Amino acid sequence: MLSVSDAEAIILNLVQPLDRQRDTEVVDLLTADSRILATPVTSPLDFPHWDNSAMDGYAVRYEDVQHSSAEEPAILEIVEDIPAGYQPQSTIQPRQAARIFTGAVIPAGADTVVMQEKTRREENRVFILDAPKPQGFVRHKASFYQAGTQLLPAGIKLNASEIAILAAAKCPQLSVYRRLRVAIFSTGDELATVEQPLKPGQIVDSNQYAIAALVRESGAEPLILGIVKDDPVALEKVISHAVAIADIVISSGGVSVGDYDYVDKILESLGAKIHIRAVEMRPGKPLTVATLPTPQSPPLPTPHSPLYFGLPGNPAAVLVTFWRFVLPAIKKLSGITEGWESVFLKVRSHDELRSDGKRETYLWGKLHLINGVYEFHKAGGSHSSGNLINLAQTNALAVLPVGKTLISPQEEVQVLQLG
């Protein structure tokens, strides 16, 4: 049985990111949010495009105002008003100034802006009541970004700030990595869909819904394949189809050591190499991770070697193993160059946390900011792998390492941040 850290290392070493030449598509900027940039972006524009004012005030020559004070103000003639979007018509001469507004072009001859709060205006004259700093409140051309250099690197997720930058840089279309395709199915004779009436001994297949939601949150496309009975022939048919249409396949159930757990045997019969069969963690001990050969005639536009995750059947274990192992793999495979690793924080525990110490243990709860310090509040009720109910509204998993049986209230604990 592998340790959690060894399992994580194996999984991430197996993941080969999408190919920049083969796995990309062009999208419009308005639909590019949350996509992964596939090629670096440059712009033909300098930022700022020209010297401009960072303040409402007066554009002046520094040498005319460097000794100004309230007692002996410099008195300048106002020769022009320059709003934003207007091209100045005058060159500022000695003892002259231009009224200027935030974002407006600095007129020729001026090198400094005096904020209006430090001035007094009388008709066409302005009194400078305080000496400014040389080149104060002037945003110089290309001081933020120089045209032709790299503006954004490949391998980043495009959020609102990046979208704004690309719009300002006049990039209407972008090359992004295609969305990953993730096939999802659940196994078990006891499972029913949300729409079906429950027969004695049956439970609703919540796993498929949870995994599909997590896959969408990650930016990938879920391919829902439904519920598969505990029948080797049916399982082989679905697994063969899944590996032909998807980059990642996720199943839940059927990976333990029971009489009806067929997944590992079927994977081996299909030529898969199984890298992980069990992990030293609670919940989530039964975990299968395998790679399959590239299909001979895949219906996909690009060849691929699928990665298979056989998650446990219990719902809490499904969520924990997805957050711990599957999500980083999806992020890395999607083309993100950094930041795909799990995020751990050291915080204060509000509650007593217990474990038998035999396996790395994950307890779910919420992070609260208390007097500027994050505290982990354990979710109430049972932390059984079969208890889905108290996972609602959780945003962190407390981690008790092997050998650690107790964390007392107010003691530091490492948590895996979710979302």
Side-chain angles (χ1 to χ4, degrees), residues 260-295:
Y260 298 96
D261 294 321
Y262 300 118
V263 169
D264 285 11
K265 293 179 182 177
I266 292 170
L267 288 171
E268 289 174 333
S269 73
L270 294 173
K273 181 176 181 180
I274 298 180
H275 303 271
I276 298 173
R277 295 180 187 268
V279 181
E280 197 175 39
M281 66 186 294
R282 184 191 303 272
K285 175 184 173 183
L287 174 69
T288 292
V289 178
T291 47
L292 290 108
T294 303

Side-chain angles (χ1 to χ4, degrees), residues 348-396:
R348 191 169 59 199
S349 180
H350 177 268
D351 307 294
E352 181 178 276
L353 307 177
R354 285 189 173 273
S355 163
D356 63 10
K358 295 178 181 178
R359 286 182 271 163
E360 188 165 297
T361 300
Y362 292 76
L363 302 172
W364 40 96
K366 292 189 72 172
L367 289 175
H368 292 276
L369 192 60
I370 309 295
N371 297 324
V373 177
Y374 276 109
E375 277 190 355
F376 175 79
H377 290 233
K378 178 186 172 186
S382 166
H383 279 242
S384 161
S385 61
N387 183 14
L388 180 62
I389 303 304
N390 65 347
L391 274 159
Q393 300 295 297
T394 56
N395 62 9

Side-chain angles (χ1 to χ4, degrees), residues 38 77 82 101 129 157 178 208-209 214 217 219 227 242 246 251 254 285 293 296 305 309 342 373 382 386 416 419:
E77 178 190 6
I82 308 174
F101 297 87
L129 306 177
K157 185 177 181 180
R178 64 172 176 83
Q208 192 165 182
Y209 294 89
L214 289 167
E217 288 175 10
I227 297 171
S251 65
K285 175 184 173 183
Q296 294 298 315
S305 180
F309 287 94
S342 298
V373 177
S382 166
L416 172 61

Side-chain angles (χ1 to χ4, degrees), residues 180-393:
L180 292 180
R181 293 172 285 260
V182 181
I184 303 165
F185 65 92
S186 301
T187 70
D189 292 341
E190 75 280 13
L191 300 179
T193 68
V194 170
E195 295 82 10
Q196 292 174 324
L198 289 179
K199 298 176 182 178
Q202 283 192 318
I203 59 173
V204 174
D205 172 27
S206 62
N207 290 342
Q208 192 165 182
Y209 294 89
I211 295 170
L214 289 167
V215 167
R216 289 190 194 96
E217 288 175 10
S218 74
E221 176 188 359
L223 308 175
I224 311 299
L225 302 184
I227 297 171
V228 186
K229 297 296 183 181
D230 289 322
D231 174 68
V233 175
L235 273 169
E236 182 174 350
K237 182 178 179 180
V238 171
I239 292 174
S240 297
H241 175 61
V243 300
I245 64 171
D247 303 290
I248 291 177
V249 179
I250 303 175
S251 65
S252 63
V255 293
S256 192
V257 292
D259 292 343
Y260 298 96
D261 294 321
Y262 300 118
V263 169
D264 285 11
K265 293 179 182 177
I266 292 170
L267 288 171
E268 289 174 333
S269 73
L270 294 173
K273 181 176 181 180
I274 298 180
H275 303 271
I276 298 173
R277 295 180 187 268
V279 181
E280 197 175 39
M281 66 186 294
R282 184 191 303 272
K285 175 184 173 183
L287 174 69
T288 292
V289 178
T291 47
L292 290 108
T294 303
Q296 294 298 315
S297 301
L300 296 174
T302 55
H304 67 297
S305 180
L307 183 62
Y308 190 101
F309 287 94
L311 305 186
N314 283 318
V318 164
L319 289 168
V320 170
T321 51
F322 187 99
W323 285 321
R324 187 65 183 88
F325 299 119
V326 183
L327 184 56
I330 289 176
K331 289 181 178 180
K332 183 178 180 182
L333 182 59
S334 70
I336 295 175
T337 53
E338 58 182 27
W340 35 261
E341 304 92 341
S342 298
V343 176
F344 290 93
L345 305 174
K346 287 187 176 180
V347 304
R348 191 169 59 199
S349 180
H350 177 268
D351 307 294
E352 181 178 276
L353 307 177
R354 285 189 173 273
S355 163
D356 63 10
K358 295 178 181 178
R359 286 182 271 163
E360 188 165 297
T361 300
Y362 292 76
L363 302 172
W364 40 96
K366 292 189 72 172
L367 289 175
H368 292 276
L369 192 60
I370 309 295
N371 297 324
V373 177
Y374 276 109
E375 277 190 355
F376 175 79
H377 290 233
K378 178 186 172 186
S382 166
H383 279 242
S384 161
S385 61
N387 183 14
L388 180 62
I389 303 304
N390 65 347
L391 274 159
Q393 300 295 297

